[in-house]
Amino acid sequence: MTSKFFAATASGLTALAMASSAFAQAAAPAAPAAPAVTHGAPIAGVCIFSSQRAVATSQVGKAVDARLKTIISQVNAELTTERTALDNEAKALDAKKATLDQSTLEQQASALQVRANAWQRKGQLRQREVEATEQKQLARVYQELDPAIRQAYQAKTCSVLIERESVLLGNPAMDITDSVVAAVDARIKTLTFDRERLDQAAPAAQALQPKKP
Protein backbone atom coordinates (compact mmCIF):
# COMPACT_ATOMS: atom_id res chain seq x y z
CA MET A 1 0.00 0.00 0.00
CA THR A 2 2.70 2.48 0.98
CA SER A 3 4.61 2.07 -2.27
CA LYS A 4 1.54 3.19 -4.22
CA PHE A 5 1.02 6.06 -1.81
CA PHE A 6 4.59 7.31 -2.09
CA ALA A 7 4.41 7.09 -5.88
CA ALA A 8 1.26 9.19 -5.85
CA THR A 9 2.85 11.93 -3.74
CA ALA A 10 6.39 11.94 -5.12
CA SER A 11 6.11 14.82 -7.61
CA GLY A 12 4.00 17.34 -5.73
CA LEU A 13 6.58 20.04 -5.14
CA THR A 14 8.69 19.65 -8.27
CA ALA A 15 6.72 21.98 -10.52
CA LEU A 16 6.75 24.83 -8.02
CA ALA A 17 10.52 24.92 -8.18
CA MET A 18 10.08 26.08 -11.78
CA ALA A 19 7.72 28.94 -10.87
CA SER A 20 8.54 32.62 -11.25
CA SER A 21 10.08 31.74 -14.62
CA ALA A 22 9.85 35.18 -16.26
CA PHE A 23 11.49 36.94 -13.35
CA ALA A 24 14.01 34.13 -12.89
CA GLN A 25 15.07 34.44 -16.51
CA ALA A 26 15.24 38.21 -16.27
CA ALA A 27 17.37 38.04 -13.14
CA ALA A 28 19.68 35.27 -14.34
CA PRO A 29 23.40 35.90 -13.80
CA ALA A 30 25.10 37.74 -16.63
CA ALA A 31 27.19 35.69 -19.02
CA PRO A 32 30.99 36.10 -18.88
CA ALA A 33 32.17 39.31 -20.51
CA ALA A 34 32.64 38.88 -24.25
CA PRO A 35 35.68 40.28 -26.05
CA ALA A 36 35.45 44.00 -26.76
CA VAL A 37 33.72 44.88 -30.02
CA THR A 38 34.25 48.02 -32.03
CA HIS A 39 30.84 49.24 -33.10
CA GLY A 40 30.00 51.26 -36.14
CA ALA A 41 28.34 54.63 -35.76
CA PRO A 42 24.89 54.63 -34.15
CA ILE A 43 22.09 54.47 -36.69
CA ALA A 44 20.00 57.59 -36.45
CA GLY A 45 16.44 56.89 -35.39
CA VAL A 46 17.07 53.22 -34.50
CA CYS A 47 16.87 52.45 -30.76
CA ILE A 48 17.27 49.28 -28.71
CA PHE A 49 15.48 48.29 -25.51
CA SER A 50 15.91 45.21 -23.30
CA SER A 51 12.65 44.33 -21.55
CA GLN A 52 14.35 41.51 -19.64
CA ARG A 53 17.05 43.80 -18.27
CA ALA A 54 14.53 46.49 -17.44
CA VAL A 55 12.46 44.03 -15.40
CA ALA A 56 15.55 42.55 -13.72
CA THR A 57 17.23 45.83 -12.78
CA SER A 58 14.30 48.14 -12.02
CA GLN A 59 13.41 48.47 -8.36
CA VAL A 60 9.80 47.51 -8.99
CA GLY A 61 10.90 44.41 -10.92
CA LYS A 62 13.22 43.36 -8.09
CA ALA A 63 10.47 43.94 -5.52
CA VAL A 64 7.99 41.81 -7.47
CA ASP A 65 10.58 39.04 -7.88
CA ALA A 66 11.31 39.06 -4.13
CA ARG A 67 7.60 38.93 -3.28
CA LEU A 68 7.05 36.02 -5.69
CA LYS A 69 9.88 34.09 -4.05
CA THR A 70 8.25 34.67 -0.64
CA ILE A 71 4.91 33.39 -1.94
CA ILE A 72 6.58 30.29 -3.42
CA SER A 73 8.32 29.62 -0.10
CA GLN A 74 4.99 29.90 1.74
CA VAL A 75 3.30 27.51 -0.69
CA ASN A 76 6.15 25.00 -0.46
CA ALA A 77 6.04 25.15 3.35
CA GLU A 78 2.29 24.51 3.31
CA LEU A 79 2.56 21.55 0.95
CA THR A 80 5.63 20.08 2.63
CA THR A 81 3.95 20.13 6.05
CA GLU A 82 0.89 18.33 4.70
CA ARG A 83 2.98 15.81 2.75
CA THR A 84 5.07 14.99 5.81
CA ALA A 85 1.92 14.30 7.81
CA LEU A 86 0.57 12.03 5.07
CA ASP A 87 3.89 10.19 4.75
CA ASN A 88 4.03 9.63 8.51
CA GLU A 89 0.48 8.25 8.52
CA ALA A 90 1.33 5.95 5.62
CA LYS A 91 4.37 4.62 7.48
CA ALA A 92 2.34 4.12 10.64
CA LEU A 93 -0.33 2.22 8.74
CA ASP A 94 2.30 0.09 7.04
CA ALA A 95 3.85 -0.73 10.41
CA LYS A 96 0.59 -2.01 11.89
CA LYS A 97 -0.84 -3.75 8.85
CA ALA A 98 0.03 -7.15 10.33
CA THR A 99 -2.30 -6.44 13.27
CA LEU A 100 -5.25 -5.29 11.15
CA ASP A 101 -7.79 -7.42 9.36
CA GLN A 102 -7.86 -7.03 5.59
CA SER A 103 -11.10 -5.01 5.53
CA THR A 104 -9.90 -2.47 8.09
CA LEU A 105 -6.52 -2.14 6.38
CA GLU A 106 -8.14 -1.53 3.01
CA GLN A 107 -10.54 1.04 4.46
CA GLN A 108 -7.76 3.02 6.16
CA ALA A 109 -5.49 2.74 3.13
CA SER A 110 -8.30 3.94 0.86
CA ALA A 111 -9.04 6.92 3.12
CA LEU A 112 -5.37 7.83 3.19
CA GLN A 113 -5.13 7.56 -0.59
CA VAL A 114 -8.11 9.89 -0.98
CA ARG A 115 -6.29 12.48 1.13
CA ALA A 116 -3.08 11.94 -0.85
CA ASN A 117 -4.95 12.53 -4.10
CA ALA A 118 -6.49 15.69 -2.65
CA TRP A 119 -3.00 16.85 -1.68
CA GLN A 120 -1.80 16.32 -5.24
CA ARG A 121 -4.71 18.34 -6.60
CA LYS A 122 -3.95 21.07 -4.10
CA GLY A 123 -0.32 21.15 -5.24
CA GLN A 124 -1.41 21.49 -8.85
CA LEU A 125 -3.81 24.28 -7.89
CA ARG A 126 -1.08 26.14 -5.99
CA GLN A 127 1.21 25.84 -9.01
CA ARG A 128 -1.45 27.40 -11.25
CA GLU A 129 -2.02 30.13 -8.67
CA VAL A 130 1.69 30.98 -8.54
CA GLU A 131 1.87 31.06 -12.33
CA ALA A 132 -1.23 33.27 -12.52
CA THR A 133 0.24 35.59 -9.90
CA GLU A 134 3.51 35.87 -11.81
CA GLN A 135 1.77 36.60 -15.11
CA LYS A 136 -0.46 39.24 -13.56
CA GLN A 137 2.38 41.03 -11.77
CA LEU A 138 4.69 40.86 -14.78
CA ALA A 139 1.94 42.55 -16.79
CA ARG A 140 1.74 45.26 -14.10
CA VAL A 141 5.51 45.82 -14.31
CA TYR A 142 5.26 46.21 -18.09
CA GLN A 143 2.43 48.71 -17.58
CA GLU A 144 4.79 50.75 -15.41
CA LEU A 145 7.55 50.46 -18.00
CA ASP A 146 5.37 51.53 -20.93
CA PRO A 147 5.20 55.30 -20.28
CA ALA A 148 8.92 55.37 -19.48
CA ILE A 149 9.67 53.57 -22.76
CA ARG A 150 7.62 56.10 -24.70
CA GLN A 151 9.30 58.96 -22.87
CA ALA A 152 12.80 57.66 -23.61
CA TYR A 153 11.81 56.88 -27.21
CA GLN A 154 10.75 60.47 -27.79
CA ALA A 155 13.71 61.94 -25.92
CA LYS A 156 16.09 59.92 -28.11
CA THR A 157 14.06 60.90 -31.24
CA CYS A 158 13.77 57.23 -32.19
CA SER A 159 12.04 56.17 -35.38
CA VAL A 160 11.97 52.46 -34.54
CA LEU A 161 12.50 50.51 -31.31
CA ILE A 162 14.02 47.00 -31.44
CA GLU A 163 13.91 44.43 -28.63
CA ARG A 164 17.49 43.89 -27.44
CA GLU A 165 17.03 40.12 -27.05
CA SER A 166 16.40 39.83 -30.80
CA VAL A 167 19.66 41.62 -31.65
CA LEU A 168 22.98 39.77 -31.52
CA LEU A 169 25.12 42.93 -31.28
CA GLY A 170 24.30 46.61 -31.24
CA ASN A 171 25.92 49.91 -30.47
CA PRO A 172 25.19 50.71 -26.78
CA ALA A 173 24.62 54.32 -27.74
CA MET A 174 21.35 53.18 -29.32
CA ASP A 175 20.16 51.43 -26.14
CA ILE A 176 17.52 53.30 -24.09
CA THR A 177 17.13 50.62 -21.37
CA ASP A 178 19.04 52.51 -18.67
CA SER A 179 17.02 55.65 -19.31
CA VAL A 180 13.79 53.68 -19.00
CA VAL A 181 14.88 52.04 -15.74
CA ALA A 182 15.94 55.39 -14.26
CA ALA A 183 12.57 56.92 -15.11
CA VAL A 184 10.64 53.99 -13.63
CA ASP A 185 12.75 53.95 -10.46
CA ALA A 186 12.02 57.63 -9.96
CA ARG A 187 8.26 56.97 -10.12
CA ILE A 188 7.65 53.59 -8.45
CA LYS A 189 9.69 51.17 -6.38
CA THR A 190 7.36 48.33 -5.43
CA LEU A 191 3.98 46.67 -6.01
CA THR A 192 1.80 45.11 -3.32
CA PHE A 193 0.08 41.81 -4.05
CA ASP A 194 -0.82 38.39 -2.70
CA ARG A 195 -1.15 34.99 -4.32
CA GLU A 196 -4.04 34.65 -6.75
CA ARG A 197 -6.83 32.43 -5.38
CA LEU A 198 -8.17 30.34 -8.24
CA ASP A 199 -10.23 28.11 -5.93
CA GLN A 200 -12.23 31.17 -4.90
CA ALA A 201 -12.62 32.47 -8.44
CA ALA A 202 -14.40 29.32 -9.69
CA PRO A 203 -17.39 29.42 -7.27
CA ALA A 204 -17.76 33.16 -7.93
CA ALA A 205 -17.87 32.55 -11.67
CA GLN A 206 -20.48 29.83 -11.21
CA ALA A 207 -22.61 32.17 -9.12
CA LEU A 208 -22.76 34.61 -12.03
CA GLN A 209 -24.15 32.00 -14.42
CA PRO A 210 -27.86 32.53 -15.18
CA LYS A 211 -30.10 29.93 -13.58
CA LYS A 212 -32.30 27.84 -15.79
CA PRO A 213 -36.02 28.19 -15.13
Side-chain angles (χ1 to χ4, degrees), residues 60-182:
V60 66
K62 291 178 180 178
V64 169
D65 182 49
R67 177 59 181 154
L68 282 170
K69 289 176 179 176
T70 297
I71 289 174
I72 291 171
S73 295
Q74 293 170 345
V75 168
N76 278 329
E78 173 191 11
L79 294 175
T80 299
T81 298
E82 294 179 9
R83 175 179 174 173
T84 298
L86 288 169
D87 286 349
N88 289 339
E89 290 186 43
K91 292 175 183 177
L93 181 59
D94 194 47
K96 65 179 182 179
K97 65 182 181 181
T99 65
L100 298 175
D101 61 81
Q102 188 64 27
S103 177
T104 301
L105 177 62
E106 290 179 355
Q107 288 178 1
Q108 294 187 14
S110 177
L112 188 58
Q113 188 64 60
V114 168
R115 292 171 56 198
N117 293 341
W119 178 87
Q120 277 198 309
R121 291 192 297 271
K122 184 176 185 178
Q124 293 166 356
L125 173 65
R126 291 291 180 266
Q127 179 190 354
R128 293 195 301 271
E129 289 177 339
V130 169
E131 291 172 348
T133 304
E134 178 193 20
Q135 292 170 5
K136 182 176 180 178
Q137 300 312 315
L138 185 60
R140 291 178 68 189
V141 172
Y142 280 124
Q143 286 179 349
E144 297 297 338
L145 289 173
D146 186 66
I149 294 172
R150 295 175 183 275
Q151 175 185 337
Y153 180 92
Q154 293 180 340
K156 190 78 171 177
T157 61
C158 303
S159 297
V160 62
L161 184 59
I162 301 173
E163 173 64 59
R164 178 64 184 87
E165 282 66 39
S166 65
V167 177
L168 183 61
L169 290 172
N171 192 317
M174 299 158 59
D175 196 317
I176 65 170
T177 306
D178 290 340
S179 298
V180 171
V181 171

